[in-house]
């Protein structure tokens, strides 16, 4: 391999909202490296969203397209979170605390989640991430991405995982 040959890498991205936001910064920096080429990327939860947004953005505009798509995704997530009832209490803000431990909405949601299924609590099927992702990702284009994408999902009723790949027909 010569010094000018790209270095192929595969990435595995973990889930979790704060991990996903942190990973955005890492991905942004990796995408600046012209010698690196992402051959494959896998993820679950927030990692899967980062992976899909990156792969679609790459297909649309290379590394800069991926960086722009990731920034747009996380900016939209941030704006949606600002409207969430799960916020720090005014006292927490005054005291400079960053925990939700005394947030009335968080405490109520925590109690309800111990008693009810998430499906019982979301009768309208509200999912703000669905509209954010569908507004950013062109799924037909994502299916043609040169980056191999592997997204893991678990079927709630059986507990079995399944790996989805870009280009598969999932209708």
């Amino acid at each position: 391999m010569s010094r000018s040959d790209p270095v192929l890498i595969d990435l595995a991205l973990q889930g979790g909202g704060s991990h996903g936001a942190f990973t955005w910064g890492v991905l942004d920096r990796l995408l600046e490296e012209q010698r690196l080429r992402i051959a494959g990327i896998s993820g679950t939860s927030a990692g899967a969203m980062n992976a899909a947004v990156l792969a679609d953005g790459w297909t649309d505009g290379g590394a800069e397209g991926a960086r722009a798509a990731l920034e747009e995704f996380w900016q939209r997530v941030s704006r949606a979170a600002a409207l969430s009832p799960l916020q720090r209490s005014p006292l927490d803000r005054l005291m400079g605390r960053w925990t939700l431990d005394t947030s009335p909405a968080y405490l109520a949601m925590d109690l309800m989640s111990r008693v009810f299924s998430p499906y019982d609590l979301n009768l309208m099927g509200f999912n703000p991430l669905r509209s954010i992702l569908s507004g950013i990702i062109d799924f037909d284009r994502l299916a043609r991405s040169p980056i191999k994408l592997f997204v893991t999902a678990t079927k709630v009723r059986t507990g079995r995982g399944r790996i989805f790949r870009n280009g598969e027909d999932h209708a």
Side-chain angles (χ1 to χ4, degrees):
M1 174 165 62
S2 74
R3 276 186 87 56
S4 62
D5 289 338
V7 176
L8 296 178
I9 62 172
D10 293 317
L11 301 172
L13 309 180
Q14 71 185 69
S18 59
H19 293 292
F22 175 82
T23 300
W24 163 38
V26 174
L27 293 171
D28 191 65
R29 177 62 184 99
L30 286 174
L31 289 164
E32 288 179 334
E33 288 297 323
Q34 294 180 2
R35 287 194 56 227
L36 295 180
R37 288 293 175 264
I38 300 170
I41 188 167
S42 67
T44 189
S45 193
M49 290 183 275
N50 273 333
V53 170
L54 184 151
D56 180 57
W58 181 279
T59 305
D60 188 38
E64 287 307 312
R67 292 180 72 212
L70 284 164
E71 180 174 0
E72 178 64 20
F73 171 71
W74 283 102
Q75 290 296 327
R76 287 186 187 194
V77 168
S78 176
R79 287 192 296 273
L83 302 175
S84 169
L86 301 177
Q87 301 282 337
R88 293 180 295 151
S89 70
L91 180 60
D92 288 330
R93 290 173 192 265
L94 272 172
M95 303 290 288
R97 294 187 293 225
W98 289 90
T99 178
L100 292 177
D101 290 344
T102 61
S103 163
Y106 175 78
L107 293 171
M109 184 61 80
D110 183 55
L111 175 65
M112 290 190 316
S113 71
R114 295 169 192 269
V115 178
F116 300 104
S117 157
Y119 301 102
D120 294 330
L121 297 174
N122 190 7
L123 298 175
M124 303 300 287
F126 178 68
N127 184 348
L129 287 173
R130 179 181 295 139
S131 62
I132 291 171
L133 288 166
S134 65
I136 290 178
I137 297 174
D138 178 331
F139 289 95
D140 291 330
R141 182 176 57 217
L142 177 61
R144 300 185 310 272
S145 176
I147 297 175
K148 294 177 186 170
L149 179 64
F150 306 92
V151 171
T152 305
T154 303
K155 191 170 193 171
V156 174
R157 295 192 195 285
T158 64
R160 290 182 170 242
R162 174 163 177 208
I163 299 173
F164 294 90
R165 294 163 179 83
N166 51 333
E168 286 185 20
D169 183 16
H170 301 294

